């Protein structure tokens, strides 16, 4: 097996059942193919999954600096209200400036999700619900088709925009190749 085949088989074995709970094979709960979700997972945390390691949080200094400015009222942070940041400790801001879990959801996203906490995106059994929520937001904000606009969804996931420039120039190509690899392994879609 190629390294990509080994990676995708491992991601499928470990993460596939978690996804199947949310979107059982044959169910129309989500429009996103399982191959896309597994490739997104591989792009974001495949190296840790392949090595049977816990997926760590990834702190992003630039996001932290923007959150600090929002907390001080110097500049807004998207549609998140300044009051949300009131009383947050420095460590809490760092947590919200970090990405978490199998698809590395940025902590600040949950600030607008009623009933969600950082623990939810760290919990593998609930994590993919958050993934779907973000993908749904991208689908509707940018009028994307979840059955065909995969390159745009990969860019959105990495940059927040379907036309954004990814930090890793191979991020989109890797995701598309991993979708093909996943499908070639005969995994259920």
């Amino acid at each position: 097996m190629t390294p990509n085949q080994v990676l995708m088989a491992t991601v499928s074995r470990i993460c596939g059942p978690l996804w199947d709970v949310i979107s059982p094979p044959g169910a129309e709960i989500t429009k996103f193919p399982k191959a896309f979700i597994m490739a997104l997972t591989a792009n974001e945390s495949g190296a840790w999954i392949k090595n049977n390691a816990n997926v760590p949080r990834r702190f992003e200094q630039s996001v932290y600096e923007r959150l600090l400015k929002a907390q001080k009222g110097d500049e807004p942070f998207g549609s998140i209200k300044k009051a949300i940041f009131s009383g947050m400790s420095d460590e809490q801001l760092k947590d919200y400036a970090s990405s978490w879990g199998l698809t590395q959801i940025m902590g600040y996203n949950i600030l607008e999700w009623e009933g969600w906490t950082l623990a939810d995106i760290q919990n593998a059994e609930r994590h993919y619900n958050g993934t779907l929520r973000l993908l749904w937001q991208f689908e509707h904000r940018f009028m994307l088709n979840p059955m065909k606009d995969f390159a745009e969804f990969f860019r959105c996931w990495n940059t927040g925009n379907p036309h954004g420039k990814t930090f890793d120039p191979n991020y989109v190509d890797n995701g598309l190749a991993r979708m093909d690899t996943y499908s070639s392994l005969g995994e259920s879609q």
Side-chain angles (χ1 to χ4, degrees):
M1 290 179 86
T2 69
N4 217 21
Q5 288 173 320
V6 170
L7 172 64
M8 291 312 297
T10 304
V11 167
S12 177
R13 179 176 49 80
I14 294 170
C15 302
L18 297 170
W19 175 251
D20 290 343
V21 168
I22 295 165
S23 184
E28 291 298 322
I29 294 171
T30 173
K31 299 176 242 171
F32 292 93
K34 188 174 181 181
F36 173 78
I37 300 299
M38 294 299 104
L40 179 63
T41 302
N43 271 10
E44 292 295 331
S45 57
W48 293 290
I49 293 169
K50 190 171 86 177
N51 294 317
N52 292 315
N54 289 332
V55 178
R57 83 177 194 171
R58 278 190 246 172
F59 173 72
E60 295 199 21
Q61 182 69 34
S62 63
V63 173
Y64 171 69
E65 291 168 5
R66 288 183 55 217
L67 289 175
L68 276 175
K69 289 178 182 177
Q71 185 182 45
K72 293 175 187 171
D74 294 342
E75 69 180 53
F77 190 86
S79 61
I80 300 172
K81 308 283 185 240
K82 177 186 173 196
I84 289 176
F85 300 112
S86 178
M88 275 191 197
S89 70
D90 192 56
E91 194 54 41
Q92 287 173 309
L93 280 179
K94 287 181 179 177
D95 285 345
Y96 290 115
S98 298
S99 59
W100 301 87
L102 298 169
T103 60
Q104 292 291 291
I105 296 172
M106 288 301 300
Y108 65 78
N109 284 297
I110 63 140
L111 292 172
E112 297 183 298
W113 296 355
E114 188 175 331
W116 279 72
T117 66
L118 286 171
D120 291 316
I121 59 174
Q122 295 170 47
N123 177 330
E125 293 176 2
R126 181 147 162 123
H127 182 84
Y128 282 128
N129 288 306
T131 302
L132 278 179
R133 188 175 194 147
L134 279 175
L135 290 170
W136 183 88
Q137 289 173 347
F138 293 139
E139 174 187 352
H140 292 275
R141 183 179 321 144
F142 300 113
M143 305 304 293
L144 300 175
N145 182 332
M147 294 303 292
K148 70 174 190 161
D149 294 333
F150 304 119
E152 290 83 358
F153 276 107
F154 281 122
R155 274 191 217 92
C156 279
W157 195 264
N158 192 254
T159 70
N161 186 296
H163 307 292
K165 183 178 180 200
T166 59
F167 178 77
D168 173 357
N170 297 314
Y171 185 86
V172 173
D173 290 341
N174 286 343
L176 296 171
R178 288 171 174 155
M179 284 183 72
D180 288 342
T181 299
Y182 180 85
S183 297
S184 75
L185 293 173
E187 300 293 339
S188 63
Q189 300 299 308

